[in-house]
Amino acid sequence: MSVRSAKRGDEEAIAHIGRESFTWAFGQLFPADVLTRYLDATYSAGKILLSISKPNNVYFVSEAEDRIVGFLKLKRSCRHFLIRDSRQLQVQKIYVLPNAANMGIGSSLMRLGEESVRALAPISAWLMVYEGNHRVCLLYTSLMAR
């Protein structure tokens, strides 16, 4: 497994991972038509390519067996209204293909995210997690405990 910065050409894989992971984690919360509209609007290759090209976004991908199986998106200068610090960074997405879960991919991406956060030197870094996403809550809790 390797982790690298995302580049042009990765957008199809990132969009696929976003669609699959979001559906796996949250699909049961939405009517099918609402879910489809959201996925089409949020995880198209064009939208991902545009997002990768924005200087405020930092993307990393994890590859295993010559295919992208996960991604991390950091958003520089993203303010949360409850945090008073002016320099903030959001850990916006860590997604791994459901069939690649429990292989350490999310942990590897999170470690790289921690290194990137230090390098970008915000005063505060934050992320939001849906409390019903127990698998991800356990991942973040275990990473914070070390």
Side-chain angles (χ1 to χ4, degrees):
M1 180 178 52
S2 63
V3 179
R4 63 169 172 80
S5 294
K7 62 184 188 294
R8 183 181 193 93
D10 293 337
E11 63 273 6
E12 289 283 346
I14 292 170
H16 173 72
I17 292 164
R19 294 177 77 89
E20 292 292 315
S21 298
F22 190 90
T23 300
W24 184 69
F26 307 113
Q28 74 283 0
L29 301 175
F30 302 97
D33 61 323
V34 173
L35 178 64
T36 299
R37 280 196 310 274
Y38 173 78
L39 294 173
D40 290 347
T42 307
Y43 295 109
S44 70
K47 174 110 180 190
I48 298 297
L49 181 59
L50 179 63
S51 183
I52 289 172
S53 68
K54 291 181 179 178
N56 199 45
N57 296 335
V58 179
Y59 277 83
F60 296 97
V61 295
S62 180
E63 294 177 308
E65 300 174 9
D66 296 326
R67 69 183 183 117
I68 297 173
V69 294
F71 75 92
L72 164 68
K73 178 184 177 187
L74 304 176
K75 194 167 191 77
R76 307 177 211 221
S77 303
C78 187
R79 301 214 37 192
H80 189 286
F81 71 96
L82 293 176
I83 300 173
R84 297 195 189 281
D85 299 328
S86 59
R87 288 189 350 242
Q88 299 179 31
L89 177 143
Q90 181 187 16
V91 178
Q92 195 171 56
K93 297 179 186 331
I94 299 179
Y95 283 0
V96 174
L97 284 172
N99 65 358
N102 300 316
M103 295 173 52
I105 295 164
S107 297
S108 294
L109 286 165
M110 192 63 182
R111 278 193 296 280
L112 181 62
E114 289 171 350
E115 293 171 18
S116 298
V117 166
R118 282 193 288 280
L120 294 169
I123 294 172
S124 297
W126 60 276
L127 62 90
M128 287 195 313
V129 178
Y130 170 60
E131 66 186 341
N133 192 346
H134 303 291
R135 182 180 61 85
V136 171
C137 290
L138 285 172
L139 169 67
Y140 294 144
T141 302
S142 69
L143 289 171
M144 291 172 32
R146 51 180 173 102

